Amino acid sequence: AQTVTQSQPEMSVQEAETVTLSCTYDTSESDYYLFWYKQPPSRQMILVIRQEAYKQQNATENRFSVNFQKAAKSFSLKISDSQLGDAAMYFCAYRSFGGEYGNKLVFGAGTILRVKS
Amino acid sequence: KAGVTQTPRYLIKTRGQQVTLSCSPISGHRSVSWYQQTPGQGLQFLFEYFSETQRNKGNFPGRFSGRQFSNSRSEMNVSTLELGDSALYLCASSRGTSSYNEQFFGPGTRLTVL
């Protein structure tokens, strides 16, 4: 079974600074998807960024980028130029590539990100 | 385009009762997944429905069940409620299941069991 571990329960960053959230995972599959989701206090889960394991290039979405290390099974999220609106709970998630497991997501425990002005 | 909607948004029940939660996916989406979010266990997958068929089921007791209708709307039912069932229940919809399709989450239903 796949597992996802987020070892940082809480992180703080100063506005306009850069912060990195860590995530490691365990799987025996060679192809899969990894995600970072943001859950603000409103509780609406929002997709931040996606990485396909078969792509070596790290995904980027504006101020958000990932450092995907497949051999190390590590998938960290870097937020540049942090903004107050980035304050939220961030979840790392895993999805199998094949159709057998459908859209099932395995989530990490989450990291609360606080942004200080 | 309307997003994923969940009703009701808040619910208070007592132990032993049963509850039904509803999820309406984005138009054109045929897959609906359900998740339970609690402070202690985090986000856990309950089940997924696609074209009215359960595709996947998480590790939850049989008190948790679901179904999907021909219009892709889905309901989940929890019978004989326990205090530990208090949680935020999230549903997510997607076009399909065989390859990557982005999942869109609803706002959740907050269930409190007294």
Side-chain angles (χ1 to χ4, degrees), chain A residues 33 35 37 39 43-45 47 50 91 95 99 101-105 107, chain B residues 31 35 37 43 48 55-56 94 96-97 99-100 102-103 105-107 110:
Chain A
Y33 300 99
F35 307 89
Y37 280 90
Q39 188 180 42
R43 295 297 192 180
Q44 185 91 35
M45 195 80 78
L47 177 65
R50 174 183 95 240
F91 291 96
R95 179 192 184 273
Y101 296 102
N103 286 311
K104 175 185 175 181
L105 293 170
F107 286 93
Chain B
S31 165
Y35 294 85
Q37 184 175 16
L43 276 154
E48 179 183 12
R55 282 287 311 267
N56 263 307
S94 173
T97 65
S99 60
Y100 177 71
E102 183 173 346
Q103 290 192 74
F105 282 82
R110 169 74 64 186

PDB file of all heavy atoms in Angstrom, chain A residues 33 35 37 39 43-45 47 50 91 95 99 101-105 107, chain B residues 31 35 37 43 48 55-56 94 96-97 99-100 102-103 105-107 110:
ATOM      1  N   TYR A  33       1.102   9.642  -9.905  1.00  0.00           N
ATOM      2  CA  TYR A  33       0.965  11.092  -9.866  1.00  0.00           C
ATOM      3  C   TYR A  33       1.155  11.552  -8.418  1.00  0.00           C
ATOM      4  O   TYR A  33       0.761  10.865  -7.480  1.00  0.00           O
ATOM      5  CB  TYR A  33      -0.426  11.536 -10.324  1.00  0.00           C
ATOM      6  CG  TYR A  33      -0.785  11.130 -11.732  1.00  0.00           C
ATOM      7  CD1 TYR A  33      -1.569  10.009 -11.977  1.00  0.00           C
ATOM      8  CD2 TYR A  33      -0.361  11.886 -12.821  1.00  0.00           C
ATOM      9  CE1 TYR A  33      -1.917   9.644 -13.261  1.00  0.00           C
ATOM     10  CE2 TYR A  33      -0.702  11.526 -14.117  1.00  0.00           C
ATOM     11  CZ  TYR A  33      -1.478  10.399 -14.328  1.00  0.00           C
ATOM     12  OH  TYR A  33      -1.825  10.046 -15.601  1.00  0.00           O
ATOM     13  N   PHE A  35       0.623  15.152  -5.975  1.00  0.00           N
ATOM     14  CA  PHE A  35      -0.087  16.429  -5.949  1.00  0.00           C
ATOM     15  C   PHE A  35       0.222  17.180  -4.658  1.00  0.00           C
ATOM     16  O   PHE A  35       0.526  16.591  -3.626  1.00  0.00           O
ATOM     17  CB  PHE A  35      -1.613  16.216  -5.980  1.00  0.00           C
ATOM     18  CG  PHE A  35      -2.101  15.357  -7.097  1.00  0.00           C
ATOM     19  CD1 PHE A  35      -2.184  13.981  -6.943  1.00  0.00           C
ATOM     20  CD2 PHE A  35      -2.494  15.914  -8.295  1.00  0.00           C
ATOM     21  CE1 PHE A  35      -2.648  13.172  -7.972  1.00  0.00           C
ATOM     22  CE2 PHE A  35      -2.968  15.121  -9.327  1.00  0.00           C
ATOM     23  CZ  PHE A  35      -3.040  13.743  -9.164  1.00  0.00           C
ATOM     24  N   TYR A  37      -2.154  19.841  -2.546  1.00  0.00           N
ATOM     25  CA  TYR A  37      -3.447  20.492  -2.413  1.00  0.00           C
ATOM     26  C   TYR A  37      -3.366  21.509  -1.292  1.00  0.00           C
ATOM     27  O   TYR A  37      -2.660  21.328  -0.301  1.00  0.00           O
ATOM     28  CB  TYR A  37      -4.549  19.477  -2.080  1.00  0.00           C
ATOM     29  CG  TYR A  37      -5.065  18.693  -3.254  1.00  0.00           C
ATOM     30  CD1 TYR A  37      -4.484  17.479  -3.615  1.00  0.00           C
ATOM     31  CD2 TYR A  37      -6.145  19.156  -4.006  1.00  0.00           C
ATOM     32  CE1 TYR A  37      -4.972  16.746  -4.690  1.00  0.00           C
ATOM     33  CE2 TYR A  37      -6.629  18.429  -5.078  1.00  0.00           C
ATOM     34  CZ  TYR A  37      -6.037  17.230  -5.414  1.00  0.00           C
ATOM     35  OH  TYR A  37      -6.522  16.507  -6.477  1.00  0.00           O
ATOM     36  N   GLN A  39      -5.748  23.672   1.431  1.00  0.00           N
ATOM     37  CA  GLN A  39      -7.054  23.742   2.082  1.00  0.00           C
ATOM     38  C   GLN A  39      -7.075  24.962   3.002  1.00  0.00           C
ATOM     39  O   GLN A  39      -6.584  24.899   4.125  1.00  0.00           O
ATOM     40  CB  GLN A  39      -7.363  22.463   2.852  1.00  0.00           C
ATOM     41  CG  GLN A  39      -8.792  22.405   3.377  1.00  0.00           C
ATOM     42  CD  GLN A  39      -9.087  21.127   4.135  1.00  0.00           C
ATOM     43  OE1 GLN A  39      -8.279  20.655   4.916  1.00  0.00           O
ATOM     44  NE2 GLN A  39     -10.266  20.550   3.900  1.00  0.00           N
ATOM     45  N   ARG A  43     -12.113  25.479   3.984  1.00  0.00           N
ATOM     46  CA  ARG A  43     -12.174  24.021   3.829  1.00  0.00           C
ATOM     47  C   ARG A  43     -12.270  23.535   2.389  1.00  0.00           C
ATOM     48  O   ARG A  43     -12.305  22.342   2.151  1.00  0.00           O
ATOM     49  CB  ARG A  43     -13.331  23.422   4.643  1.00  0.00           C
ATOM     50  CG  ARG A  43     -13.156  23.593   6.139  1.00  0.00           C
ATOM     51  CD  ARG A  43     -11.940  22.868   6.599  1.00  0.00           C
ATOM     52  NE  ARG A  43     -11.853  22.747   8.033  1.00  0.00           N
ATOM     53  CZ  ARG A  43     -10.868  22.145   8.665  1.00  0.00           C
ATOM     54  NH1 ARG A  43      -9.867  21.622   7.981  1.00  0.00           N
ATOM     55  NH2 ARG A  43     -10.875  22.060   9.982  1.00  0.00           N
ATOM     56  N   GLN A  44     -12.353  24.433   1.428  1.00  0.00           N
ATOM     57  CA  GLN A  44     -12.418  24.007   0.026  1.00  0.00           C
ATOM     58  C   GLN A  44     -11.030  23.566  -0.428  1.00  0.00           C
ATOM     59  O   GLN A  44     -10.091  24.349  -0.436  1.00  0.00           O
ATOM     60  CB  GLN A  44     -12.898  25.174  -0.845  1.00  0.00           C
ATOM     61  CG  GLN A  44     -13.121  24.818  -2.291  1.00  0.00           C
ATOM     62  CD  GLN A  44     -14.538  24.367  -2.556  1.00  0.00           C
ATOM     63  OE1 GLN A  44     -15.469  24.866  -1.951  1.00  0.00           O
ATOM     64  NE2 GLN A  44     -14.703  23.423  -3.460  1.00  0.00           N
ATOM     65  N   MET A  45     -10.893  22.319  -0.793  1.00  0.00           N
ATOM     66  CA  MET A  45      -9.627  21.760  -1.234  1.00  0.00           C
ATOM     67  C   MET A  45      -9.327  22.232  -2.655  1.00  0.00           C
ATOM     68  O   MET A  45     -10.158  22.067  -3.555  1.00  0.00           O
ATOM     69  CB  MET A  45      -9.706  20.238  -1.186  1.00  0.00           C
ATOM     70  CG  MET A  45      -8.385  19.533  -1.276  1.00  0.00           C
ATOM     71  SD  MET A  45      -7.513  19.517   0.275  1.00  0.00           S
ATOM     72  CE  MET A  45      -8.403  18.230   1.103  1.00  0.00           C
ATOM     73  N   LEU A  47      -6.423  22.262  -5.870  1.00  0.00           N
ATOM     74  CA  LEU A  47      -5.196  21.702  -6.421  1.00  0.00           C
ATOM     75  C   LEU A  47      -4.184  22.823  -6.668  1.00  0.00           C
ATOM     76  O   LEU A  47      -4.487  23.816  -7.322  1.00  0.00           O
ATOM     77  CB  LEU A  47      -5.494  20.971  -7.726  1.00  0.00           C
ATOM     78  CG  LEU A  47      -4.280  20.401  -8.456  1.00  0.00           C
ATOM     79  CD1 LEU A  47      -3.614  19.306  -7.634  1.00  0.00           C
ATOM     80  CD2 LEU A  47      -4.694  19.853  -9.828  1.00  0.00           C
ATOM     81  N   ARG A  50       0.673  19.591  -9.820  1.00  0.00           N
ATOM     82  CA  ARG A  50       0.657  18.156 -10.096  1.00  0.00           C
ATOM     83  C   ARG A  50       1.981  17.752 -10.748  1.00  0.00           C
ATOM     84  O   ARG A  50       2.555  18.509 -11.522  1.00  0.00           O
ATOM     85  CB  ARG A  50      -0.486  17.848 -11.049  1.00  0.00           C
ATOM     86  CG  ARG A  50      -0.548  16.423 -11.533  1.00  0.00           C
ATOM     87  CD  ARG A  50      -1.663  16.232 -12.537  1.00  0.00           C
ATOM     88  NE  ARG A  50      -1.231  16.349 -13.914  1.00  0.00           N
ATOM     89  CZ  ARG A  50      -1.706  17.241 -14.767  1.00  0.00           C
ATOM     90  NH1 ARG A  50      -2.595  18.121 -14.373  1.00  0.00           N
ATOM     91  NH2 ARG A  50      -1.288  17.265 -16.004  1.00  0.00           N
ATOM     92  N   PHE A  91      -1.631  19.756   1.714  1.00  0.00           N
ATOM     93  CA  PHE A  91      -1.585  18.302   1.713  1.00  0.00           C
ATOM     94  C   PHE A  91      -0.830  17.802   0.499  1.00  0.00           C
ATOM     95  O   PHE A  91      -1.061  18.246  -0.630  1.00  0.00           O
ATOM     96  CB  PHE A  91      -3.000  17.709   1.673  1.00  0.00           C
ATOM     97  CG  PHE A  91      -3.801  17.921   2.917  1.00  0.00           C
ATOM     98  CD1 PHE A  91      -4.693  18.969   3.007  1.00  0.00           C
ATOM     99  CD2 PHE A  91      -3.657  17.057   4.000  1.00  0.00           C
ATOM    100  CE1 PHE A  91      -5.445  19.164   4.161  1.00  0.00           C
ATOM    101  CE2 PHE A  91      -4.400  17.239   5.153  1.00  0.00           C
ATOM    102  CZ  PHE A  91      -5.289  18.301   5.237  1.00  0.00           C
ATOM    103  N   ARG A  95      -1.484   9.428  -6.254  1.00  0.00           N
ATOM    104  CA  ARG A  95      -2.508   8.712  -7.025  1.00  0.00           C
ATOM    105  C   ARG A  95      -1.809   7.721  -7.930  1.00  0.00           C
ATOM    106  O   ARG A  95      -0.844   8.063  -8.614  1.00  0.00           O
ATOM    107  CB  ARG A  95      -3.340   9.679  -7.858  1.00  0.00           C
ATOM    108  CG  ARG A  95      -4.430   8.994  -8.714  1.00  0.00           C
ATOM    109  CD  ARG A  95      -5.011   9.962  -9.716  1.00  0.00           C
ATOM    110  NE  ARG A  95      -6.113   9.421 -10.494  1.00  0.00           N
ATOM    111  CZ  ARG A  95      -5.987   8.739 -11.629  1.00  0.00           C
ATOM    112  NH1 ARG A  95      -4.784   8.488 -12.103  1.00  0.00           N
ATOM    113  NH2 ARG A  95      -7.050   8.306 -12.272  1.00  0.00           N
ATOM    114  N   GLY A  99      -5.534   2.397 -14.040  1.00  0.00           N
ATOM    115  CA  GLY A  99      -6.960   2.559 -13.790  1.00  0.00           C
ATOM    116  C   GLY A  99      -7.490   1.730 -12.635  1.00  0.00           C
ATOM    117  O   GLY A  99      -8.580   1.977 -12.159  1.00  0.00           O
ATOM    118  N   TYR A 101      -6.974   1.594  -9.492  1.00  0.00           N
ATOM    119  CA  TYR A 101      -7.359   2.293  -8.267  1.00  0.00           C
ATOM    120  C   TYR A 101      -8.163   3.553  -8.545  1.00  0.00           C
ATOM    121  O   TYR A 101      -8.458   4.306  -7.635  1.00  0.00           O
ATOM    122  CB  TYR A 101      -6.109   2.636  -7.453  1.00  0.00           C
ATOM    123  CG  TYR A 101      -5.364   1.420  -6.967  1.00  0.00           C
ATOM    124  CD1 TYR A 101      -4.209   0.994  -7.610  1.00  0.00           C
ATOM    125  CD2 TYR A 101      -5.832   0.685  -5.886  1.00  0.00           C
ATOM    126  CE1 TYR A 101      -3.544  -0.133  -7.196  1.00  0.00           C
ATOM    127  CE2 TYR A 101      -5.169  -0.442  -5.452  1.00  0.00           C
ATOM    128  CZ  TYR A 101      -4.029  -0.846  -6.113  1.00  0.00           C
ATOM    129  OH  TYR A 101      -3.366  -1.966  -5.695  1.00  0.00           O
ATOM    130  N   GLY A 102      -8.499   3.764  -9.797  1.00  0.00           N
ATOM    131  CA  GLY A 102      -9.320   4.907 -10.138  1.00  0.00           C
ATOM    132  C   GLY A 102      -8.676   6.198  -9.701  1.00  0.00           C
ATOM    133  O   GLY A 102      -7.484   6.409  -9.871  1.00  0.00           O
ATOM    134  N   ASN A 103      -9.488   7.058  -9.118  1.00  0.00           N
ATOM    135  CA  ASN A 103      -9.024   8.374  -8.700  1.00  0.00           C
ATOM    136  C   ASN A 103      -8.639   8.441  -7.229  1.00  0.00           C
ATOM    137  O   ASN A 103      -8.454   9.522  -6.691  1.00  0.00           O
ATOM    138  CB  ASN A 103     -10.121   9.414  -8.968  1.00  0.00           C
ATOM    139  CG  ASN A 103     -10.241   9.730 -10.436  1.00  0.00           C
ATOM    140  OD1 ASN A 103      -9.255   9.991 -11.104  1.00  0.00           O
ATOM    141  ND2 ASN A 103     -11.456   9.691 -10.960  1.00  0.00           N
ATOM    142  N   LYS A 104      -8.494   7.293  -6.603  1.00  0.00           N
ATOM    143  CA  LYS A 104      -8.203   7.283  -5.168  1.00  0.00           C
ATOM    144  C   LYS A 104      -6.939   8.062  -4.856  1.00  0.00           C
ATOM    145  O   LYS A 104      -5.874   7.822  -5.432  1.00  0.00           O
ATOM    146  CB  LYS A 104      -8.047   5.849  -4.669  1.00  0.00           C
ATOM    147  CG  LYS A 104      -7.621   5.749  -3.212  1.00  0.00           C
ATOM    148  CD  LYS A 104      -7.364   4.314  -2.805  1.00  0.00           C
ATOM    149  CE  LYS A 104      -6.817   4.234  -1.386  1.00  0.00           C
ATOM    150  NZ  LYS A 104      -6.534   2.836  -1.001  1.00  0.00           N
ATOM    151  N   LEU A 105      -7.054   9.003  -3.934  1.00  0.00           N
ATOM    152  CA  LEU A 105      -5.909   9.785  -3.472  1.00  0.00           C
ATOM    153  C   LEU A 105      -5.518   9.315  -2.077  1.00  0.00           C
ATOM    154  O   LEU A 105      -6.371   9.096  -1.226  1.00  0.00           O
ATOM    155  CB  LEU A 105      -6.249  11.269  -3.426  1.00  0.00           C
ATOM    156  CG  LEU A 105      -6.498  11.966  -4.763  1.00  0.00           C
ATOM    157  CD1 LEU A 105      -7.050  13.367  -4.531  1.00  0.00           C
ATOM    158  CD2 LEU A 105      -5.204  12.048  -5.566  1.00  0.00           C
ATOM    159  N   PHE A 107      -3.469  10.698   1.046  1.00  0.00           N
ATOM    160  CA  PHE A 107      -3.011  11.997   1.529  1.00  0.00           C
ATOM    161  C   PHE A 107      -2.017  11.861   2.671  1.00  0.00           C
ATOM    162  O   PHE A 107      -2.070  10.910   3.472  1.00  0.00           O
ATOM    163  CB  PHE A 107      -4.192  12.816   2.047  1.00  0.00           C
ATOM    164  CG  PHE A 107      -5.082  13.379   0.980  1.00  0.00           C
ATOM    165  CD1 PHE A 107      -6.203  12.688   0.563  1.00  0.00           C
ATOM    166  CD2 PHE A 107      -4.804  14.614   0.411  1.00  0.00           C
ATOM    167  CE1 PHE A 107      -7.037  13.213  -0.417  1.00  0.00           C
ATOM    168  CE2 PHE A 107      -5.631  15.152  -0.567  1.00  0.00           C
ATOM    169  CZ  PHE A 107      -6.744  14.439  -0.982  1.00  0.00           C
TER     170      PHE A 107
ATOM    171  N   SER B  31     -17.295  10.568 -12.340  1.00  0.00           N
ATOM    172  CA  SER B  31     -16.663   9.931 -11.182  1.00  0.00           C
ATOM    173  C   SER B  31     -16.862  10.801  -9.949  1.00  0.00           C
ATOM    174  O   SER B  31     -16.667  12.018  -9.992  1.00  0.00           O
ATOM    175  CB  SER B  31     -15.168   9.750 -11.448  1.00  0.00           C
ATOM    176  OG  SER B  31     -14.486   9.476 -10.247  1.00  0.00           O
ATOM    177  N   TYR B  35     -14.325  11.325   0.782  1.00  0.00           N
ATOM    178  CA  TYR B  35     -13.255  11.287   1.759  1.00  0.00           C
ATOM    179  C   TYR B  35     -13.778  11.742   3.116  1.00  0.00           C
ATOM    180  O   TYR B  35     -14.652  12.604   3.199  1.00  0.00           O
ATOM    181  CB  TYR B  35     -12.100  12.219   1.348  1.00  0.00           C
ATOM    182  CG  TYR B  35     -11.386  11.783   0.094  1.00  0.00           C
ATOM    183  CD1 TYR B  35     -11.868  12.147  -1.162  1.00  0.00           C
ATOM    184  CD2 TYR B  35     -10.239  10.989   0.161  1.00  0.00           C
ATOM    185  CE1 TYR B  35     -11.225  11.737  -2.312  1.00  0.00           C
ATOM    186  CE2 TYR B  35      -9.588  10.580  -0.991  1.00  0.00           C
ATOM    187  CZ  TYR B  35     -10.092  10.952  -2.221  1.00  0.00           C
ATOM    188  OH  TYR B  35      -9.449  10.543  -3.364  1.00  0.00           O
ATOM    189  N   GLN B  37     -12.493  13.479   6.637  1.00  0.00           N
ATOM    190  CA  GLN B  37     -11.374  14.234   7.208  1.00  0.00           C
ATOM    191  C   GLN B  37     -11.619  14.456   8.693  1.00  0.00           C
ATOM    192  O   GLN B  37     -12.620  15.079   9.090  1.00  0.00           O
ATOM    193  CB  GLN B  37     -11.209  15.594   6.500  1.00  0.00           C
ATOM    194  CG  GLN B  37      -9.998  16.368   6.984  1.00  0.00           C
ATOM    195  CD  GLN B  37      -9.749  17.644   6.209  1.00  0.00           C
ATOM    196  OE1 GLN B  37     -10.608  18.137   5.487  1.00  0.00           O
ATOM    197  NE2 GLN B  37      -8.541  18.176   6.323  1.00  0.00           N
ATOM    198  N   LEU B  43      -7.111  12.763   6.191  1.00  0.00           N
ATOM    199  CA  LEU B  43      -7.993  12.537   5.049  1.00  0.00           C
ATOM    200  C   LEU B  43      -7.924  11.087   4.637  1.00  0.00           C
ATOM    201  O   LEU B  43      -6.866  10.585   4.266  1.00  0.00           O
ATOM    202  CB  LEU B  43      -7.558  13.408   3.872  1.00  0.00           C
ATOM    203  CG  LEU B  43      -8.078  14.831   3.855  1.00  0.00           C
ATOM    204  CD1 LEU B  43      -7.141  15.727   3.076  1.00  0.00           C
ATOM    205  CD2 LEU B  43      -9.471  14.874   3.254  1.00  0.00           C
ATOM    206  N   GLU B  48     -15.280   5.343  -4.261  1.00  0.00           N
ATOM    207  CA  GLU B  48     -15.423   6.053  -5.514  1.00  0.00           C
ATOM    208  C   GLU B  48     -16.474   5.381  -6.361  1.00  0.00           C
ATOM    209  O   GLU B  48     -16.533   4.145  -6.428  1.00  0.00           O
ATOM    210  CB  GLU B  48     -14.107   6.098  -6.293  1.00  0.00           C
ATOM    211  CG  GLU B  48     -14.239   6.820  -7.643  1.00  0.00           C
ATOM    212  CD  GLU B  48     -12.963   6.809  -8.454  1.00  0.00           C
ATOM    213  OE1 GLU B  48     -12.028   6.080  -8.121  1.00  0.00           O
ATOM    214  OE2 GLU B  48     -12.926   7.554  -9.461  1.00  0.00           O
ATOM    215  N   ARG B  55     -16.230   1.750  -7.747  1.00  0.00           N
ATOM    216  CA  ARG B  55     -14.954   1.342  -8.340  1.00  0.00           C
ATOM    217  C   ARG B  55     -13.935   0.922  -7.287  1.00  0.00           C
ATOM    218  O   ARG B  55     -13.095   0.068  -7.503  1.00  0.00           O
ATOM    219  CB  ARG B  55     -14.374   2.507  -9.149  1.00  0.00           C
ATOM    220  CG  ARG B  55     -15.001   2.724 -10.491  1.00  0.00           C
ATOM    221  CD  ARG B  55     -14.583   1.651 -11.476  1.00  0.00           C
ATOM    222  NE  ARG B  55     -13.141   1.433 -11.498  1.00  0.00           N
ATOM    223  CZ  ARG B  55     -12.310   2.024 -12.322  1.00  0.00           C
ATOM    224  NH1 ARG B  55     -12.742   2.895 -13.181  1.00  0.00           N
ATOM    225  NH2 ARG B  55     -11.014   1.728 -12.288  1.00  0.00           N
ATOM    226  N   ASN B  56     -13.987   1.607  -6.162  1.00  0.00           N
ATOM    227  CA  ASN B  56     -12.982   1.427  -5.121  1.00  0.00           C
ATOM    228  C   ASN B  56     -13.620   1.660  -3.780  1.00  0.00           C
ATOM    229  O   ASN B  56     -14.548   2.466  -3.660  1.00  0.00           O
ATOM    230  CB  ASN B  56     -11.872   2.474  -5.283  1.00  0.00           C
ATOM    231  CG  ASN B  56     -10.694   1.941  -6.020  1.00  0.00           C
ATOM    232  OD1 ASN B  56     -10.147   0.904  -5.671  1.00  0.00           O
ATOM    233  ND2 ASN B  56     -10.304   2.641  -7.060  1.00  0.00           N
ATOM    234  N   SER B  94     -14.685  14.021 -11.013  1.00  0.00           N
ATOM    235  CA  SER B  94     -13.722  13.967 -12.100  1.00  0.00           C
ATOM    236  C   SER B  94     -14.424  13.418 -13.327  1.00  0.00           C
ATOM    237  O   SER B  94     -15.429  12.725 -13.207  1.00  0.00           O
ATOM    238  CB  SER B  94     -12.569  13.056 -11.686  1.00  0.00           C
ATOM    239  OG  SER B  94     -11.690  12.832 -12.735  1.00  0.00           O
ATOM    240  N   GLY B  96     -13.341  11.101 -15.521  1.00  0.00           N
ATOM    241  CA  GLY B  96     -13.209   9.652 -15.668  1.00  0.00           C
ATOM    242  C   GLY B  96     -12.250   9.110 -14.634  1.00  0.00           C
ATOM    243  O   GLY B  96     -11.881   9.800 -13.673  1.00  0.00           O
ATOM    244  N   THR B  97     -11.832   7.874 -14.856  1.00  0.00           N
ATOM    245  CA  THR B  97     -10.964   7.248 -13.874  1.00  0.00           C
ATOM    246  C   THR B  97      -9.745   6.553 -14.475  1.00  0.00           C
ATOM    247  O   THR B  97      -8.814   6.229 -13.774  1.00  0.00           O
ATOM    248  CB  THR B  97     -11.735   6.180 -13.066  1.00  0.00           C
ATOM    249  OG1 THR B  97     -12.121   5.116 -13.957  1.00  0.00           O
ATOM    250  CG2 THR B  97     -12.973   6.757 -12.421  1.00  0.00           C
ATOM    251  N   SER B  99      -7.386   7.392 -16.775  1.00  0.00           N
ATOM    252  CA  SER B  99      -6.132   8.146 -16.847  1.00  0.00           C
ATOM    253  C   SER B  99      -6.319   9.404 -16.032  1.00  0.00           C
ATOM    254  O   SER B  99      -7.354   9.603 -15.410  1.00  0.00           O
ATOM    255  CB  SER B  99      -5.795   8.476 -18.297  1.00  0.00           C
ATOM    256  OG  SER B  99      -6.826   9.249 -18.867  1.00  0.00           O
ATOM    257  N   TYR B 100      -5.324  10.257 -16.038  1.00  0.00           N
ATOM    258  CA  TYR B 100      -5.445  11.405 -15.153  1.00  0.00           C
ATOM    259  C   TYR B 100      -6.558  12.351 -15.586  1.00  0.00           C
ATOM    260  O   TYR B 100      -6.627  12.795 -16.715  1.00  0.00           O
ATOM    261  CB  TYR B 100      -4.139  12.194 -15.074  1.00  0.00           C
ATOM    262  CG  TYR B 100      -4.312  13.417 -14.218  1.00  0.00           C
ATOM    263  CD1 TYR B 100      -4.449  13.286 -12.844  1.00  0.00           C
ATOM    264  CD2 TYR B 100      -4.449  14.671 -14.783  1.00  0.00           C
ATOM    265  CE1 TYR B 100      -4.674  14.388 -12.045  1.00  0.00           C
ATOM    266  CE2 TYR B 100      -4.680  15.786 -13.997  1.00  0.00           C
ATOM    267  CZ  TYR B 100      -4.790  15.634 -12.628  1.00  0.00           C
ATOM    268  OH  TYR B 100      -5.028  16.737 -11.847  1.00  0.00           O
ATOM    269  N   GLU B 102      -8.329  15.758 -13.589  1.00  0.00           N
ATOM    270  CA  GLU B 102      -8.271  16.526 -12.355  1.00  0.00           C
ATOM    271  C   GLU B 102      -9.525  16.308 -11.525  1.00  0.00           C
ATOM    272  O   GLU B 102     -10.641  16.239 -12.061  1.00  0.00           O
ATOM    273  CB  GLU B 102      -8.097  18.013 -12.651  1.00  0.00           C
ATOM    274  CG  GLU B 102      -7.956  18.861 -11.385  1.00  0.00           C
ATOM    275  CD  GLU B 102      -7.625  20.298 -11.664  1.00  0.00           C
ATOM    276  OE1 GLU B 102      -7.240  20.622 -12.802  1.00  0.00           O
ATOM    277  OE2 GLU B 102      -7.763  21.112 -10.729  1.00  0.00           O
ATOM    278  N   GLN B 103      -9.312  16.178 -10.244  1.00  0.00           N
ATOM    279  CA  GLN B 103     -10.431  16.052  -9.320  1.00  0.00           C
ATOM    280  C   GLN B 103     -10.738  17.415  -8.722  1.00  0.00           C
ATOM    281  O   GLN B 103      -9.835  18.145  -8.332  1.00  0.00           O
ATOM    282  CB  GLN B 103     -10.090  15.079  -8.200  1.00  0.00           C
ATOM    283  CG  GLN B 103     -10.012  13.644  -8.650  1.00  0.00           C
ATOM    284  CD  GLN B 103      -9.958  12.690  -7.491  1.00  0.00           C
ATOM    285  OE1 GLN B 103     -10.951  12.455  -6.805  1.00  0.00           O
ATOM    286  NE2 GLN B 103      -8.794  12.131  -7.249  1.00  0.00           N
ATOM    287  N   PHE B 105     -12.891  19.318  -5.734  1.00  0.00           N
ATOM    288  CA  PHE B 105     -13.512  19.027  -4.454  1.00  0.00           C
ATOM    289  C   PHE B 105     -14.675  19.968  -4.159  1.00  0.00           C
ATOM    290  O   PHE B 105     -14.665  21.139  -4.551  1.00  0.00           O
ATOM    291  CB  PHE B 105     -12.487  19.143  -3.319  1.00  0.00           C
ATOM    292  CG  PHE B 105     -11.576  17.964  -3.218  1.00  0.00           C
ATOM    293  CD1 PHE B 105     -10.458  17.856  -4.035  1.00  0.00           C
ATOM    294  CD2 PHE B 105     -11.830  16.951  -2.300  1.00  0.00           C
ATOM    295  CE1 PHE B 105      -9.612  16.761  -3.956  1.00  0.00           C
ATOM    296  CE2 PHE B 105     -10.981  15.852  -2.201  1.00  0.00           C
ATOM    297  CZ  PHE B 105      -9.880  15.754  -3.035  1.00  0.00           C
ATOM    298  N   GLY B 106     -15.632  19.434  -3.442  1.00  0.00           N
ATOM    299  CA  GLY B 106     -16.723  20.248  -2.942  1.00  0.00           C
ATOM    300  C   GLY B 106     -16.341  20.888  -1.619  1.00  0.00           C
ATOM    301  O   GLY B 106     -15.259  20.628  -1.081  1.00  0.00           O
ATOM    302  N   PRO B 107     -17.215  21.723  -1.064  1.00  0.00           N
ATOM    303  CA  PRO B 107     -16.908  22.439   0.182  1.00  0.00           C
ATOM    304  C   PRO B 107     -17.012  21.571   1.430  1.00  0.00           C
ATOM    305  O   PRO B 107     -16.567  21.974   2.504  1.00  0.00           O
ATOM    306  CB  PRO B 107     -17.966  23.547   0.210  1.00  0.00           C
ATOM    307  CG  PRO B 107     -19.107  22.978  -0.548  1.00  0.00           C
ATOM    308  CD  PRO B 107     -18.511  22.125  -1.625  1.00  0.00           C
ATOM    309  N   ARG B 110     -20.000  19.115   7.148  1.00  0.00           N
ATOM    310  CA  ARG B 110     -19.487  18.958   8.524  1.00  0.00           C
ATOM    311  C   ARG B 110     -20.538  18.198   9.330  1.00  0.00           C
ATOM    312  O   ARG B 110     -21.616  18.713   9.582  1.00  0.00           O
ATOM    313  CB  ARG B 110     -19.217  20.312   9.147  1.00  0.00           C
ATOM    314  CG  ARG B 110     -18.949  20.272  10.647  1.00  0.00           C
ATOM    315  CD  ARG B 110     -17.596  19.739  10.966  1.00  0.00           C
ATOM    316  NE  ARG B 110     -16.521  20.580  10.472  1.00  0.00           N
ATOM    317  CZ  ARG B 110     -15.237  20.265  10.531  1.00  0.00           C
ATOM    318  NH1 ARG B 110     -14.863  19.125  11.063  1.00  0.00           N
ATOM    319  NH2 ARG B 110     -14.314  21.078  10.067  1.00  0.00           N
TER     320      ARG B 110
END
